[in-house]
Amino acid sequence: MRRWKISGIQKKYLSNTVALLVLALLLSSVGVWIYVRNNMANVVVDKYEFMTEKMGISLDSLYKKSEEITAKCIIDENVQKSLQTREMATVEKNALSKYFAYIDLDHVLEYCYVDNKENVYTKSYSDLSYEDFKESGLDELLSDHYAKTEWLFRKDSLFGSGEKALFIGRNVHSMEYLHPPGMLFFKMDEKFLQSIVEEKKEIENIAVGIIDDRGEFCMQHMPENFSISSQDRKKISKLSENSDAGMISVRERLQGGILQAYRQKESGFIIFTLVPNEVLSQGFTQIFYVLLGIYLVVILIAVGISLYVSKIFTRPIQTISEEMERFDGKDFSHTVHIQTNTELDKIGNSYNEMLGNIQILLEEIKKQEKELRTSELHMLINQIKPHFLYNTLDTIYMLARINGEETTMKMIQALSSYLRLSLSKGSDIVTIADELENVRSYMEIQQIRNQNLFSYEIDCQVEERERWILKLILQPLVENAVKYGFADLYTGGIIKIEVKEISGKLTLFVYNNGTPMDQSMADKINALAEVPVVELKHIFPDKKQGYGVVNIVTRLRLKYGDSVRFVYEVRQEGTTCMIQLPGNGKENDEL
């Protein structure tokens, strides 16, 4: 029984399936995360929004309570009597001092009443003078409002504690006479404001606090391991700039959580709640673990199903793969036979057909090799022909010399030199001296054919017998100059060839003073450097204009690479072609 193993296709199939499944689950989990978190956050925020408003109402009630108590103090008979012009007796003053100790207001630490005659009434153990009261500056903090109870969160410089505390103050006016008012102040315990949040289990996990009308924190309740950042504290303090009453901030997102605030209208004090981010996401951890467990089960089921399904489809592929591995290139009888009623059957049939085609191709190759040997024999025989041509030219040259035909002699000599250098014993690389001799022979032939049409100059500034170059790149350029540049001339043409080294690179120039090349044609040729070598032959499909240049560019780029430069420059008095090769040409690559 053949042992089943996981194939490469199965591994890729499984990896891609798991990757897509994980991606799908990841995207769905993100969606679930956002949806569930937002819903849970909304539920939590709704809960604490209601609680904030409820505590704000309690703050309203606390202020009204303080206002009722201060109003009750004002209408007291002894208080009103203290505002009259006549000085009160000592007994009456003592009774008035004790009166404030029994008012119906919880959490009063100290009190101070100053009548309009600079008499100070405090607890019996307090020894405050009017000068002490003036130095505290509390009298300057009360507004000119006739009957407003004011809450002031200030440093205690009156009773000597030096700590900040809440003072409830009010101007005390006479109800019968137009006398200057007195001033009443109660210093409250911290529990006065804390009573708003006492015995509220809902605030255990959130931050609750109260700020005064200047944005200063008067009371704070923080859960464990949580503190309000300085940035959030600044934003909370800025709530004091809002003059509205009631809920002035709802679901405001801060760095540490969600802020909600309620402003008490008369006092300007603001109670706020900050629901930490941890509370907003509380309970989601359990949901996350449940989702994670579900996703793991789904992945395991998907992997199991994928293994089973992939096995059905990969078993025929494994069969084909094994047969291909066993194929030694000689025995073509090992064909495969699979039947799955799928596209895999076509693959098996194609493999069988491929074996048959390979067998046919091998037979054809053997036949071609036999023909190639015959062709090589013929080539060896044909190598005798160039020598026969050179010998024939030499014979014609001797006959012309006997008959004194100088022009014929000169042309035969130039042609013989041109042919010998063109063949170059089969080599593609020649010395610059040979290349210049080749183009010189060609130009002498053209001068014989076109008398007085042009003259030529060759200026070689490098060691021509020590420098090497791809052969037959100058002759086509000179041919173009004669054929197209001098087409409208009858005499006076000039061809200049320069060979020099520029910036360490071998550079060749071919100039003619004939009719300048059309600029569009020059641009098209200059753009050949950007065309892939395999596509160069399609640039001039008619093989009339530009074909010779394309041949040169193709050979240069195949030999020297894409760093070779081939540029036509059109001038008013003629055309110059520049060829710049990488390197200085001192080495022969074929040697």
Side-chain angles (χ1 to χ4, degrees), residues 3-21:
R3 183 181 178 184
W4 178 73
K5 62 179 182 178
I6 298 179
S7 64
I9 297 177
Q10 281 183 297
K11 291 179 181 178
K12 289 187 177 181
Y13 176 77
L14 287 174
S15 61
N16 292 332
T17 301
V18 172
L20 289 174
L21 185 61

Side-chain angles (χ1 to χ4, degrees), residues 305-334:
I305 295 175
S306 299
L307 281 173
Y308 176 75
V309 174
S310 63
K311 181 180 178 181
I312 297 175
F313 289 101
T314 57
R315 183 178 294 169
I317 298 175
Q318 283 181 303
T319 302
I320 297 174
S321 176
E322 291 172 357
E323 290 296 336
M324 293 180 71
E325 288 178 358
R326 286 199 296 266
F327 177 63
D328 56 1
K330 299 178 180 179
D331 188 359
F332 296 93
S333 62
H334 291 288

Side-chain angles (χ1 to χ4, degrees), residues 44 65 110 161 191 193 206 220 238 242 376 400 426 450 460 476 490 568:
V44 173
K65 176 70 173 178
E110 303 283 354
S161 68
K191 295 181 179 180
L193 294 177
I206 66 170
Q220 299 180 70
K238 284 187 177 181
N242 193 324
E376 289 176 349
N450 304 280
C460 181
Y490 296 98
Y568 266 106

Side-chain angles (χ1 to χ4, degrees), residues 3-4 38 48 50 64 77 115 128 158 164 179 227 310 346 353 373 389 408 441 445 502 524 540:
R3 183 181 178 184
W4 178 73
N38 287 342
Y48 289 110
F50 173 74
K64 290 178 181 179
E77 179 180 355
D115 63 17
L128 295 178
L158 178 61
K164 289 187 177 181
H179 293 304
S227 61
S310 63
K346 295 182 179 180
E353 292 178 3
R373 294 191 189 98
L389 177 62
T408 303
S441 298
I445 293 172
I502 300 177
K524 189 173 183 180
F540 297 97

Side-chain angles (χ1 to χ4, degrees), residues 447-458:
Q447 283 181 327
I448 295 173
R449 293 183 60 201
N450 304 280
Q451 292 184 2
N452 302 322
L453 176 61
F454 71 94
S455 60
Y456 68 86
E457 299 176 14
I458 297 178

Side-chain angles (χ1 to χ4, degrees), residues 75 89 138 213 216 266-267 304 309 326 383 385 392 394 408 427 482 548 578:
I75 63 175
L138 288 175
D213 54 353
E216 191 167 351
E266 288 80 10
S267 66
V309 174
R326 286 199 296 266
Q383 284 181 353
K385 292 181 179 179
T392 303
D394 288 340
T408 303
S427 174
V482 175
M578 183 198 76

Side-chain angles (χ1 to χ4, degrees), residues 138-171:
L138 288 175
D139 58 329
E140 298 176 358
L141 298 178
L142 289 178
S143 65
D144 296 333
H145 197 281
Y146 177 79
K148 181 181 180 183
T149 299
E150 298 192 36
W151 284 11
L152 306 170
F153 188 73
R154 296 293 188 278
K155 182 178 180 181
D156 180 15
S157 58
L158 178 61
F159 298 104
S161 68
E163 298 179 354
K164 289 187 177 181
L166 175 64
F167 289 88
I168 298 177
R170 184 168 181 172
N171 287 316

Side-chain angles (χ1 to χ4, degrees), residues 216-254:
E216 191 167 351
F217 284 74
C218 306
M219 186 274 291
Q220 299 180 70
H221 167 80
M222 299 292 164
E224 292 184 11
N225 302 322
F226 179 80
S227 61
I228 302 176
S229 65
S230 58
Q231 182 179 354
D232 289 349
R233 292 180 75 90
K234 289 179 181 179
K235 290 184 178 181
I236 294 173
S237 295
K238 284 187 177 181
L239 292 174
S240 61
E241 299 174 2
N242 193 324
S243 59
D244 296 334
M247 294 295 293
I248 60 173
S249 179
V250 178
R251 303 190 181 198
E252 182 179 353
R253 170 63 70 175
L254 298 186

